[in-house]
Amino acid sequence: MAKALTLKQLNFVMPDRPGLLSAIMAALTGAKVNITSICAYGIEGKAYFMLVTDSNAKAKKALAPLGAAFTTEHEGVFGVNMPNKPGELQKVATIIADAGININYMYGTTSSVKTSTCIFSTSDDKKAIKAINR
């Protein structure tokens, strides 16, 4: 059964360049910041990052010297832990759809052979969490 929880996501933009991910990871490792979820991509010379960490305050401090432009510490996300088997994400997506909620974006991965985790941003996160946790 899926379980949803509220999270805070750190969003930032930087000029895209070779080695950028390595530099960011080195800064976070040096600050002893653990990343629990990450989405990163580059478009037209800019690198966009969405991170869920164990300490967004420490992450911001570690990344500031690299020139990270923080757009927001987005509270409008939630994580869903679910069994890692076919159809589980479809069940969660159906619950969200049946509640009349639009999904803005989501990303995820398996965290073990038995479980997977997805991060969602929706038009009504509180309502979505409530519906998933019923």
Side-chain angles (χ1 to χ4, degrees), residues 10-12 14 23-33 51 53-70 72-73:
L10 189 60
N11 298 343
F12 61 95
M14 296 180 71
I24 289 169
M25 294 304 108
L28 295 174
T29 299
K32 297 185 180 183
V33 174
L51 303 176
T53 73
D54 63 351
S55 175
N56 285 351
K58 284 170 52 177
K60 282 180 171 181
K61 186 175 179 180
L63 296 173
L66 297 178
F70 298 98
T72 180
E73 186 170 352

PDB file of all heavy atoms in Angstrom, residues 10-12 14 23-33 51 53-70 72-73:
ATOM      1  N   LEU A  10      14.187  21.739  -2.619  1.00  0.00           N
ATOM      2  CA  LEU A  10      15.045  22.884  -2.887  1.00  0.00           C
ATOM      3  C   LEU A  10      15.235  22.983  -4.394  1.00  0.00           C
ATOM      4  O   LEU A  10      15.710  22.044  -5.027  1.00  0.00           O
ATOM      5  CB  LEU A  10      16.386  22.672  -2.186  1.00  0.00           C
ATOM      6  CG  LEU A  10      17.372  23.809  -2.149  1.00  0.00           C
ATOM      7  CD1 LEU A  10      16.778  25.020  -1.446  1.00  0.00           C
ATOM      8  CD2 LEU A  10      18.641  23.363  -1.451  1.00  0.00           C
ATOM      9  N   ASN A  11      14.839  24.114  -4.989  1.00  0.00           N
ATOM     10  CA  ASN A  11      14.966  24.331  -6.432  1.00  0.00           C
ATOM     11  C   ASN A  11      16.024  25.396  -6.688  1.00  0.00           C
ATOM     12  O   ASN A  11      16.031  26.429  -6.040  1.00  0.00           O
ATOM     13  CB  ASN A  11      13.639  24.820  -7.024  1.00  0.00           C
ATOM     14  CG  ASN A  11      12.515  23.830  -6.854  1.00  0.00           C
ATOM     15  OD1 ASN A  11      12.729  22.662  -6.591  1.00  0.00           O
ATOM     16  ND2 ASN A  11      11.296  24.294  -7.000  1.00  0.00           N
ATOM     17  N   PHE A  12      16.902  25.130  -7.678  1.00  0.00           N
ATOM     18  CA  PHE A  12      17.884  26.142  -8.049  1.00  0.00           C
ATOM     19  C   PHE A  12      18.320  25.950  -9.498  1.00  0.00           C
ATOM     20  O   PHE A  12      18.127  24.895 -10.092  1.00  0.00           O
ATOM     21  CB  PHE A  12      19.085  26.158  -7.105  1.00  0.00           C
ATOM     22  CG  PHE A  12      19.887  24.888  -7.032  1.00  0.00           C
ATOM     23  CD1 PHE A  12      21.018  24.728  -7.811  1.00  0.00           C
ATOM     24  CD2 PHE A  12      19.515  23.868  -6.167  1.00  0.00           C
ATOM     25  CE1 PHE A  12      21.774  23.570  -7.724  1.00  0.00           C
ATOM     26  CE2 PHE A  12      20.257  22.712  -6.082  1.00  0.00           C
ATOM     27  CZ  PHE A  12      21.393  22.558  -6.859  1.00  0.00           C
ATOM     28  N   MET A  14      21.579  26.949 -12.352  1.00  0.00           N
ATOM     29  CA  MET A  14      22.971  27.349 -12.529  1.00  0.00           C
ATOM     30  C   MET A  14      23.308  27.299 -14.007  1.00  0.00           C
ATOM     31  O   MET A  14      22.636  26.595 -14.772  1.00  0.00           O
ATOM     32  CB  MET A  14      23.900  26.407 -11.754  1.00  0.00           C
ATOM     33  CG  MET A  14      23.701  26.452 -10.247  1.00  0.00           C
ATOM     34  SD  MET A  14      24.809  25.341  -9.349  1.00  0.00           S
ATOM     35  CE  MET A  14      26.361  26.192  -9.575  1.00  0.00           C
ATOM     36  N   ALA A  23      30.664  18.957  -9.076  1.00  0.00           N
ATOM     37  CA  ALA A  23      30.958  20.066  -8.158  1.00  0.00           C
ATOM     38  C   ALA A  23      29.854  20.223  -7.110  1.00  0.00           C
ATOM     39  O   ALA A  23      30.137  20.455  -5.924  1.00  0.00           O
ATOM     40  CB  ALA A  23      31.126  21.363  -8.944  1.00  0.00           C
ATOM     41  N   ILE A  24      28.611  20.086  -7.540  1.00  0.00           N
ATOM     42  CA  ILE A  24      27.487  20.196  -6.605  1.00  0.00           C
ATOM     43  C   ILE A  24      27.533  19.061  -5.590  1.00  0.00           C
ATOM     44  O   ILE A  24      27.375  19.284  -4.386  1.00  0.00           O
ATOM     45  CB  ILE A  24      26.156  20.216  -7.376  1.00  0.00           C
ATOM     46  CG1 ILE A  24      26.008  21.540  -8.130  1.00  0.00           C
ATOM     47  CG2 ILE A  24      24.968  19.989  -6.438  1.00  0.00           C
ATOM     48  CD1 ILE A  24      24.871  21.564  -9.128  1.00  0.00           C
ATOM     49  N   MET A  25      27.787  17.851  -6.063  1.00  0.00           N
ATOM     50  CA  MET A  25      27.844  16.711  -5.148  1.00  0.00           C
ATOM     51  C   MET A  25      29.007  16.840  -4.179  1.00  0.00           C
ATOM     52  O   MET A  25      28.882  16.506  -3.001  1.00  0.00           O
ATOM     53  CB  MET A  25      27.937  15.395  -5.934  1.00  0.00           C
ATOM     54  CG  MET A  25      26.698  15.071  -6.761  1.00  0.00           C
ATOM     55  SD  MET A  25      25.162  15.036  -5.798  1.00  0.00           S
ATOM     56  CE  MET A  25      24.376  16.532  -6.382  1.00  0.00           C
ATOM     57  N   ALA A  26      30.152  17.348  -4.651  1.00  0.00           N
ATOM     58  CA  ALA A  26      31.299  17.548  -3.760  1.00  0.00           C
ATOM     59  C   ALA A  26      30.963  18.560  -2.668  1.00  0.00           C
ATOM     60  O   ALA A  26      31.304  18.351  -1.496  1.00  0.00           O
ATOM     61  CB  ALA A  26      32.517  18.006  -4.562  1.00  0.00           C
ATOM     62  N   ALA A  27      30.274  19.636  -3.023  1.00  0.00           N
ATOM     63  CA  ALA A  27      29.899  20.649  -2.034  1.00  0.00           C
ATOM     64  C   ALA A  27      28.934  20.067  -1.001  1.00  0.00           C
ATOM     65  O   ALA A  27      29.084  20.300   0.203  1.00  0.00           O
ATOM     66  CB  ALA A  27      29.278  21.857  -2.723  1.00  0.00           C
ATOM     67  N   LEU A  28      27.960  19.309  -1.461  1.00  0.00           N
ATOM     68  CA  LEU A  28      26.986  18.708  -0.540  1.00  0.00           C
ATOM     69  C   LEU A  28      27.632  17.631   0.324  1.00  0.00           C
ATOM     70  O   LEU A  28      27.341  17.536   1.520  1.00  0.00           O
ATOM     71  CB  LEU A  28      25.791  18.159  -1.307  1.00  0.00           C
ATOM     72  CG  LEU A  28      24.935  19.210  -2.020  1.00  0.00           C
ATOM     73  CD1 LEU A  28      23.851  18.548  -2.867  1.00  0.00           C
ATOM     74  CD2 LEU A  28      24.334  20.199  -1.030  1.00  0.00           C
ATOM     75  N   THR A  29      28.512  16.846  -0.265  1.00  0.00           N
ATOM     76  CA  THR A  29      29.224  15.820   0.505  1.00  0.00           C
ATOM     77  C   THR A  29      30.081  16.475   1.586  1.00  0.00           C
ATOM     78  O   THR A  29      30.091  16.027   2.738  1.00  0.00           O
ATOM     79  CB  THR A  29      30.108  14.956  -0.419  1.00  0.00           C
ATOM     80  OG1 THR A  29      29.265  14.302  -1.368  1.00  0.00           O
ATOM     81  CG2 THR A  29      30.897  13.923   0.364  1.00  0.00           C
ATOM     82  N   GLY A  30      30.768  17.546   1.221  1.00  0.00           N
ATOM     83  CA  GLY A  30      31.596  18.268   2.188  1.00  0.00           C
ATOM     84  C   GLY A  30      30.790  18.839   3.343  1.00  0.00           C
ATOM     85  O   GLY A  30      31.285  18.932   4.462  1.00  0.00           O
ATOM     86  N   ALA A  31      29.545  19.199   3.067  1.00  0.00           N
ATOM     87  CA  ALA A  31      28.657  19.730   4.109  1.00  0.00           C
ATOM     88  C   ALA A  31      27.875  18.624   4.814  1.00  0.00           C
ATOM     89  O   ALA A  31      27.037  18.908   5.661  1.00  0.00           O
ATOM     90  CB  ALA A  31      27.690  20.744   3.495  1.00  0.00           C
ATOM     91  N   LYS A  32      28.135  17.372   4.430  1.00  0.00           N
ATOM     92  CA  LYS A  32      27.454  16.213   5.012  1.00  0.00           C
ATOM     93  C   LYS A  32      25.939  16.282   4.825  1.00  0.00           C
ATOM     94  O   LYS A  32      25.167  15.958   5.734  1.00  0.00           O
ATOM     95  CB  LYS A  32      27.839  16.024   6.469  1.00  0.00           C
ATOM     96  CG  LYS A  32      29.300  15.740   6.626  1.00  0.00           C
ATOM     97  CD  LYS A  32      29.682  15.421   8.038  1.00  0.00           C
ATOM     98  CE  LYS A  32      31.106  15.167   8.035  1.00  0.00           C
ATOM     99  NZ  LYS A  32      32.026  14.853   8.657  1.00  0.00           N
ATOM    100  N   VAL A  33      25.529  16.715   3.633  1.00  0.00           N
ATOM    101  CA  VAL A  33      24.111  16.785   3.282  1.00  0.00           C
ATOM    102  C   VAL A  33      23.759  15.528   2.498  1.00  0.00           C
ATOM    103  O   VAL A  33      24.419  15.194   1.512  1.00  0.00           O
ATOM    104  CB  VAL A  33      23.795  18.038   2.433  1.00  0.00           C
ATOM    105  CG1 VAL A  33      22.362  18.020   1.947  1.00  0.00           C
ATOM    106  CG2 VAL A  33      24.086  19.299   3.236  1.00  0.00           C
ATOM    107  N   LEU A  51      15.959  19.203  -5.466  1.00  0.00           N
ATOM    108  CA  LEU A  51      16.534  18.291  -4.485  1.00  0.00           C
ATOM    109  C   LEU A  51      15.654  18.191  -3.249  1.00  0.00           C
ATOM    110  O   LEU A  51      15.129  19.197  -2.769  1.00  0.00           O
ATOM    111  CB  LEU A  51      17.896  18.785  -3.996  1.00  0.00           C
ATOM    112  CG  LEU A  51      19.017  19.035  -4.977  1.00  0.00           C
ATOM    113  CD1 LEU A  51      20.216  19.607  -4.239  1.00  0.00           C
ATOM    114  CD2 LEU A  51      19.395  17.765  -5.687  1.00  0.00           C
ATOM    115  N   THR A  53      16.509  16.993   0.494  1.00  0.00           N
ATOM    116  CA  THR A  53      17.688  16.653   1.294  1.00  0.00           C
ATOM    117  C   THR A  53      17.308  16.492   2.757  1.00  0.00           C
ATOM    118  O   THR A  53      16.190  16.825   3.163  1.00  0.00           O
ATOM    119  CB  THR A  53      18.768  17.754   1.197  1.00  0.00           C
ATOM    120  OG1 THR A  53      18.350  18.890   1.950  1.00  0.00           O
ATOM    121  CG2 THR A  53      19.050  18.139  -0.244  1.00  0.00           C
ATOM    122  N   ASP A  54      18.289  16.050   3.539  1.00  0.00           N
ATOM    123  CA  ASP A  54      18.054  15.957   4.980  1.00  0.00           C
ATOM    124  C   ASP A  54      18.256  17.301   5.677  1.00  0.00           C
ATOM    125  O   ASP A  54      17.909  17.451   6.843  1.00  0.00           O
ATOM    126  CB  ASP A  54      18.912  14.868   5.619  1.00  0.00           C
ATOM    127  CG  ASP A  54      20.406  15.121   5.522  1.00  0.00           C
ATOM    128  OD1 ASP A  54      20.832  16.058   4.809  1.00  0.00           O
ATOM    129  OD2 ASP A  54      21.164  14.359   6.146  1.00  0.00           O
ATOM    130  N   SER A  55      18.792  18.302   4.957  1.00  0.00           N
ATOM    131  CA  SER A  55      18.947  19.649   5.520  1.00  0.00           C
ATOM    132  C   SER A  55      19.056  20.670   4.389  1.00  0.00           C
ATOM    133  O   SER A  55      20.152  20.900   3.864  1.00  0.00           O
ATOM    134  CB  SER A  55      20.180  19.744   6.419  1.00  0.00           C
ATOM    135  OG  SER A  55      20.354  21.090   6.848  1.00  0.00           O
ATOM    136  N   ASN A  56      17.941  21.274   4.025  1.00  0.00           N
ATOM    137  CA  ASN A  56      17.970  22.276   2.959  1.00  0.00           C
ATOM    138  C   ASN A  56      18.781  23.507   3.364  1.00  0.00           C
ATOM    139  O   ASN A  56      19.412  24.130   2.516  1.00  0.00           O
ATOM    140  CB  ASN A  56      16.545  22.678   2.567  1.00  0.00           C
ATOM    141  CG  ASN A  56      15.863  21.599   1.749  1.00  0.00           C
ATOM    142  OD1 ASN A  56      16.486  20.618   1.330  1.00  0.00           O
ATOM    143  ND2 ASN A  56      14.579  21.753   1.520  1.00  0.00           N
ATOM    144  N   ALA A  57      18.795  23.853   4.632  1.00  0.00           N
ATOM    145  CA  ALA A  57      19.577  25.008   5.096  1.00  0.00           C
ATOM    146  C   ALA A  57      21.068  24.760   4.866  1.00  0.00           C
ATOM    147  O   ALA A  57      21.782  25.631   4.345  1.00  0.00           O
ATOM    148  CB  ALA A  57      19.296  25.288   6.568  1.00  0.00           C
ATOM    149  N   LYS A  58      21.559  23.576   5.229  1.00  0.00           N
ATOM    150  CA  LYS A  58      22.966  23.240   5.003  1.00  0.00           C
ATOM    151  C   LYS A  58      23.266  23.154   3.505  1.00  0.00           C
ATOM    152  O   LYS A  58      24.339  23.566   3.059  1.00  0.00           O
ATOM    153  CB  LYS A  58      23.311  21.922   5.698  1.00  0.00           C
ATOM    154  CG  LYS A  58      23.470  22.056   7.202  1.00  0.00           C
ATOM    155  CD  LYS A  58      23.586  20.740   7.945  1.00  0.00           C
ATOM    156  CE  LYS A  58      24.619  19.786   7.439  1.00  0.00           C
ATOM    157  NZ  LYS A  58      24.722  18.554   8.266  1.00  0.00           N
ATOM    158  N   ALA A  59      22.323  22.633   2.735  1.00  0.00           N
ATOM    159  CA  ALA A  59      22.521  22.524   1.284  1.00  0.00           C
ATOM    160  C   ALA A  59      22.649  23.910   0.655  1.00  0.00           C
ATOM    161  O   ALA A  59      23.545  24.148  -0.158  1.00  0.00           O
ATOM    162  CB  ALA A  59      21.373  21.751   0.647  1.00  0.00           C
ATOM    163  N   LYS A  60      21.784  24.835   1.024  1.00  0.00           N
ATOM    164  CA  LYS A  60      21.849  26.204   0.489  1.00  0.00           C
ATOM    165  C   LYS A  60      23.194  26.853   0.816  1.00  0.00           C
ATOM    166  O   LYS A  60      23.812  27.471  -0.049  1.00  0.00           O
ATOM    167  CB  LYS A  60      20.724  27.070   1.078  1.00  0.00           C
ATOM    168  CG  LYS A  60      19.383  26.859   0.470  1.00  0.00           C
ATOM    169  CD  LYS A  60      18.396  27.795   1.164  1.00  0.00           C
ATOM    170  CE  LYS A  60      17.076  27.829   0.490  1.00  0.00           C
ATOM    171  NZ  LYS A  60      16.148  28.756   1.154  1.00  0.00           N
ATOM    172  N   LYS A  61      23.636  26.686   2.042  1.00  0.00           N
ATOM    173  CA  LYS A  61      24.905  27.280   2.470  1.00  0.00           C
ATOM    174  C   LYS A  61      26.076  26.674   1.683  1.00  0.00           C
ATOM    175  O   LYS A  61      26.984  27.389   1.259  1.00  0.00           O
ATOM    176  CB  LYS A  61      25.101  27.057   3.972  1.00  0.00           C
ATOM    177  CG  LYS A  61      26.312  27.739   4.547  1.00  0.00           C
ATOM    178  CD  LYS A  61      26.378  27.563   6.060  1.00  0.00           C
ATOM    179  CE  LYS A  61      27.616  28.248   6.613  1.00  0.00           C
ATOM    180  NZ  LYS A  61      27.716  28.094   8.066  1.00  0.00           N
ATOM    181  N   ALA A  62      26.030  25.369   1.448  1.00  0.00           N
ATOM    182  CA  ALA A  62      27.110  24.697   0.724  1.00  0.00           C
ATOM    183  C   ALA A  62      27.126  25.063  -0.760  1.00  0.00           C
ATOM    184  O   ALA A  62      28.194  25.137  -1.377  1.00  0.00           O
ATOM    185  CB  ALA A  62      26.973  23.181   0.873  1.00  0.00           C
ATOM    186  N   LEU A  63      25.951  25.314  -1.340  1.00  0.00           N
ATOM    187  CA  LEU A  63      25.859  25.575  -2.777  1.00  0.00           C
ATOM    188  C   LEU A  63      25.993  27.056  -3.138  1.00  0.00           C
ATOM    189  O   LEU A  63      26.290  27.386  -4.285  1.00  0.00           O
ATOM    190  CB  LEU A  63      24.540  25.028  -3.326  1.00  0.00           C
ATOM    191  CG  LEU A  63      24.394  23.506  -3.239  1.00  0.00           C
ATOM    192  CD1 LEU A  63      22.995  23.077  -3.643  1.00  0.00           C
ATOM    193  CD2 LEU A  63      25.453  22.814  -4.076  1.00  0.00           C
ATOM    194  N   ALA A  64      25.813  27.944  -2.179  1.00  0.00           N
ATOM    195  CA  ALA A  64      25.901  29.382  -2.455  1.00  0.00           C
ATOM    196  C   ALA A  64      27.245  29.786  -3.080  1.00  0.00           C
ATOM    197  O   ALA A  64      27.259  30.542  -4.053  1.00  0.00           O
ATOM    198  CB  ALA A  64      25.619  30.183  -1.186  1.00  0.00           C
ATOM    199  N   PRO A  65      28.388  29.285  -2.591  1.00  0.00           N
ATOM    200  CA  PRO A  65      29.666  29.675  -3.202  1.00  0.00           C
ATOM    201  C   PRO A  65      29.818  29.229  -4.667  1.00  0.00           C
ATOM    202  O   PRO A  65      30.623  29.786  -5.405  1.00  0.00           O
ATOM    203  CB  PRO A  65      30.717  28.978  -2.329  1.00  0.00           C
ATOM    204  CG  PRO A  65      30.043  28.733  -1.032  1.00  0.00           C
ATOM    205  CD  PRO A  65      28.603  28.500  -1.367  1.00  0.00           C
ATOM    206  N   LEU A  66      29.028  28.238  -5.079  1.00  0.00           N
ATOM    207  CA  LEU A  66      29.073  27.774  -6.468  1.00  0.00           C
ATOM    208  C   LEU A  66      28.219  28.647  -7.391  1.00  0.00           C
ATOM    209  O   LEU A  66      28.230  28.463  -8.597  1.00  0.00           O
ATOM    210  CB  LEU A  66      28.584  26.325  -6.568  1.00  0.00           C
ATOM    211  CG  LEU A  66      29.402  25.269  -5.837  1.00  0.00           C
ATOM    212  CD1 LEU A  66      28.758  23.899  -6.007  1.00  0.00           C
ATOM    213  CD2 LEU A  66      30.838  25.253  -6.344  1.00  0.00           C
ATOM    214  N   GLY A  67      27.452  29.573  -6.805  1.00  0.00           N
ATOM    215  CA  GLY A  67      26.609  30.457  -7.603  1.00  0.00           C
ATOM    216  C   GLY A  67      25.220  29.935  -7.871  1.00  0.00           C
ATOM    217  O   GLY A  67      24.551  30.383  -8.801  1.00  0.00           O
ATOM    218  N   ALA A  68      24.752  29.000  -7.060  1.00  0.00           N
ATOM    219  CA  ALA A  68      23.398  28.473  -7.235  1.00  0.00           C
ATOM    220  C   ALA A  68      22.378  29.584  -7.017  1.00  0.00           C
ATOM    221  O   ALA A  68      22.434  30.302  -6.024  1.00  0.00           O
ATOM    222  CB  ALA A  68      23.134  27.329  -6.255  1.00  0.00           C
ATOM    223  N   ALA A  69      21.481  29.753  -7.979  1.00  0.00           N
ATOM    224  CA  ALA A  69      20.398  30.737  -7.870  1.00  0.00           C
ATOM    225  C   ALA A  69      19.153  29.997  -7.405  1.00  0.00           C
ATOM    226  O   ALA A  69      18.501  29.304  -8.185  1.00  0.00           O
ATOM    227  CB  ALA A  69      20.158  31.419  -9.210  1.00  0.00           C
ATOM    228  N   PHE A  70      18.851  30.132  -6.116  1.00  0.00           N
ATOM    229  CA  PHE A  70      17.718  29.416  -5.538  1.00  0.00           C
ATOM    230  C   PHE A  70      16.429  30.101  -5.948  1.00  0.00           C
ATOM    231  O   PHE A  70      16.238  31.288  -5.697  1.00  0.00           O
ATOM    232  CB  PHE A  70      17.850  29.353  -4.018  1.00  0.00           C
ATOM    233  CG  PHE A  70      19.075  28.615  -3.584  1.00  0.00           C
ATOM    234  CD1 PHE A  70      20.222  29.290  -3.243  1.00  0.00           C
ATOM    235  CD2 PHE A  70      19.088  27.232  -3.579  1.00  0.00           C
ATOM    236  CE1 PHE A  70      21.376  28.617  -2.881  1.00  0.00           C
ATOM    237  CE2 PHE A  70      20.227  26.541  -3.219  1.00  0.00           C
ATOM    238  CZ  PHE A  70      21.380  27.232  -2.861  1.00  0.00           C
ATOM    239  N   THR A  72      13.334  28.692  -5.183  1.00  0.00           N
ATOM    240  CA  THR A  72      12.362  28.494  -4.111  1.00  0.00           C
ATOM    241  C   THR A  72      12.744  27.289  -3.275  1.00  0.00           C
ATOM    242  O   THR A  72      13.410  26.383  -3.754  1.00  0.00           O
ATOM    243  CB  THR A  72      10.937  28.287  -4.674  1.00  0.00           C
ATOM    244  OG1 THR A  72      10.016  28.104  -3.607  1.00  0.00           O
ATOM    245  CG2 THR A  72      10.846  27.083  -5.580  1.00  0.00           C
ATOM    246  N   GLU A  73      12.332  27.305  -2.028  1.00  0.00           N
ATOM    247  CA  GLU A  73      12.333  26.089  -1.225  1.00  0.00           C
ATOM    248  C   GLU A  73      10.884  25.653  -1.258  1.00  0.00           C
ATOM    249  O   GLU A  73      10.064  26.108  -0.472  1.00  0.00           O
ATOM    250  CB  GLU A  73      12.818  26.346   0.197  1.00  0.00           C
ATOM    251  CG  GLU A  73      12.970  25.074   0.983  1.00  0.00           C
ATOM    252  CD  GLU A  73      13.670  25.286   2.314  1.00  0.00           C
ATOM    253  OE1 GLU A  73      14.174  26.394   2.565  1.00  0.00           O
ATOM    254  OE2 GLU A  73      13.696  24.338   3.094  1.00  0.00           O
TER     255      GLU A  73
END
